Amino acid sequence: MASSGSNVKWSQKRYGPGSLKRTQCPSECDRRCKKTQYHKACITFCNKCCRKCLCVPPGYYGNKQVCSCYNNWKTQEGGPKCP
């Protein structure tokens, strides 16, 4: 599904907005946050974002462009809300 290099393509149907049900958020966020040293914070914010956006980007970091809602939700300071 993904190609190597900087031109990675991910399936919008599998990872895009609305691709998940709310009940799938915990397992998708476990996958997303598996390798971070800030696991608890990552899980908390990932689940919050997933419940709103119904998607979690592929991989452990980055790839947020696949899930536009997840990518565009910002903190009051303008930083990313979703991990």
Side-chain angles (χ1 to χ4, degrees):
M1 187 178 307
S3 61
S4 61
S6 61
N7 197 10
V8 176
K9 304 279 185 193
W10 298 100
S11 167
Q12 285 289 322
K13 187 174 182 180
R14 182 165 179 202
Y15 294 105
S19 62
L20 297 175
K21 295 177 184 168
R22 289 175 69 104
T23 57
Q24 295 173 294
C25 290
S27 63
E28 285 298 307
C29 287
D30 282 343
R31 172 195 53 78
R32 178 79 173 170
C33 297
K34 189 174 187 176
K35 293 188 177 184
T36 182
Q37 63 182 4
Y38 306 106
H39 188 75
K40 188 173 182 177
C42 184
I43 290 289
T44 299
F45 287 104
C46 180
N47 275 295
K48 181 180 259 192
C49 295
C50 182
R51 286 190 305 269
K52 178 180 177 183
C53 303
L54 298 178
C55 60
V56 174
Y60 300 111
Y61 64 92
N63 305 314
K64 292 181 185 181
Q65 72 281 2
V66 177
C67 180
S68 57
C69 168
Y70 197 98
N71 188 39
N72 297 333
W73 198 12
K74 305 293 183 194
T75 65
Q76 290 179 346
E77 295 79 27
K81 181 101 172 173
C82 306

